[in-house]
Amino acid sequence: AHKYNNLQSITMFKLLIALVVLIAVTAFVPSKVQVRSSSLSMTSEKPSAKKVFSTIVIASALFGGMPAFAKEGAAPKQGFFSNSDASSPFTEESREDPLFSPYSPYGNGEAAVYNSLKGSPSEIKFYSEKFDESVKRVAKVPGYVQKKTWFEIKAGLVGYAYNLRNAALKLAEFSKDPTAATKAAKVYFDDLNDINEYGIKKDGAKVLAAYDKSLKDLAAFKALVK
């Protein structure tokens, strides 16, 4: 029975080869005979690109087997002309469920890499540097008032110093008393908003008053996030 199956497979393989060769040959057979005056001339059509492409597709379908489907967890590979399966490119990714990536808007983020870094010394250092640099930019406000370069006040607060809000809230989150630190941060934000508003109105006295108040509120916030 085993020999019979092998013989049958060989016969089928030969028939398939013959079929492919026949299709390929027909793409190059002359299809028109034109007779003009007393002279007989034969003109062959150029091989149709569609026919040649069709031949390739049929051959790949015959010898390539069934379509390849991805397998979850398999190593990345492609199998266009073989029976090997294509697979997911996310084999190294730890998913929280079979469908959604931890970075998908539909996932809950439990498997995100960030979770292992949250609140770590490296993250606290990152936000501390952003906060300190933002405070340095705010410290330029009195100089802008003296020069009456009002546009510089707004540009400074909505430029790099705009990172100050997020950085301060993150530092408050990692502090010993997040509630008190967050409350103190929001008081400082109000001071910065006043500085910006009075700067737009070109009221130097009020800008400086709001700036002086901001220094006291900043010190209170820093005391809570040490």
Side-chain angles (χ1 to χ4, degrees), residues 184-202:
K186 290 181 179 180
V187 172
Y188 180 58
F189 299 158
D190 289 340
D191 297 335
L192 298 181
N193 186 65
D194 290 341
I195 292 172
N196 184 48
E197 182 179 349
Y198 294 136
I200 293 173
K201 295 177 180 179
K202 300 180 181 181

Side-chain angles (χ1 to χ4, degrees), residues 21-67:
V21 172
L22 179 61
I23 294 172
V25 170
T26 56
F28 298 92
V29 172
S31 59
K32 289 185 179 179
V33 178
Q34 296 181 345
V35 181
R36 291 184 180 179
S37 303
S38 59
S39 61
L40 179 64
S41 63
M42 296 180 64
T43 60
S44 301
E45 283 187 337
K46 292 183 177 180
S48 170
K50 186 182 292 185
K51 288 183 179 180
V52 175
F53 179 74
S54 299
T55 302
I56 295 173
V57 171
I58 292 173
S60 63
L62 290 173
F63 299 110
M66 295 300 291

Side-chain angles (χ1 to χ4, degrees), residues 96-97 100-101 103-109:
E96 55 206 35
D97 57 60
F100 299 120
S101 160
Y103 306 102
S104 165
Y106 305 105
N108 58 25

Side-chain angles (χ1 to χ4, degrees), residues 148-165:
K148 295 184 178 182
T149 52
W150 310 109
F151 68 93
E152 292 282 8
I153 296 175
K154 182 177 180 180
L157 294 178
V158 301
Y160 186 91
Y162 193 78
N163 294 309
L164 190 149
R165 175 180 291 272

